Amino acid sequence: GHHFAKYINLRFPPLAAIDSITIAPLADLVESVPFLSLILFLVLSLGTRGANLSRPVKFNAQQAVLIDVALVFPELFGAAFEGQRAFVPLMEPASNFVFY
C-alpha cells in the first residue's frame, strides 16, 4: 500500500522526505523479503484467535487484516492502468483516497 502515496509525495515534497525516513525503510524491508507480507498476514489473522492478548490488540490486528484484504482491489485496478497517461486524472484521486 505504500505506492498509493506517489501522487501526494509529488505534490508535497516535505511529506515525501518524512515518508522516506519513516515508512519507506519498513516498506522496502517487507517487499525485499520473499513471502514476508504473506507471513505477516497469516500471523495477524491466525495469531489473534486463541492468543492471550488484550481486546484492543486483537481488534487492531484483525483490522489490519481487513485493510490488507480491502487493498487487493485498488492494487489490481492500479496495476491494470499503470503507465497509461489517459487514466492519470482517475488514478490520482483514487490513490489519494486509498492513502488517506
Side-chain angles (χ1 to χ4, degrees):
H2 186 255
H3 54 274
F4 290 116
K6 175 174 67 173
Y7 296 107
I8 294 173
N9 289 341
L10 288 174
R11 296 211 186 262
F12 302 106
L15 186 60
I18 293 170
D19 181 50
S20 68
I21 295 170
T22 57
I23 299 174
L26 294 173
D28 292 340
L29 175 71
V30 170
E31 292 174 2
S32 67
V33 177
F35 301 111
L36 183 59
S37 60
L38 177 66
I39 293 168
L40 288 174
F41 177 81
L42 291 174
V43 165
L44 288 175
S45 62
L46 300 175
T48 59
R49 294 208 173 163
N52 190 13
L53 300 171
S54 66
R55 261 184 112 160
V57 172
K58 285 184 182 182
F59 175 78
N60 289 337
Q62 291 170 352
Q63 191 175 26
V65 168
L66 287 175
I67 290 171
D68 193 34
V69 170
L71 284 178
V72 167
F73 297 111
E75 287 191 22
L76 290 174
F77 183 72
F81 298 113
E82 188 174 358
Q84 298 180 12
R85 302 200 50 82
F87 291 99
V88 169
L90 176 66
M91 293 301 296
E92 183 172 353
S95 290
N96 292 343
F97 176 77
V98 171
F99 182 72
Y100 286 132

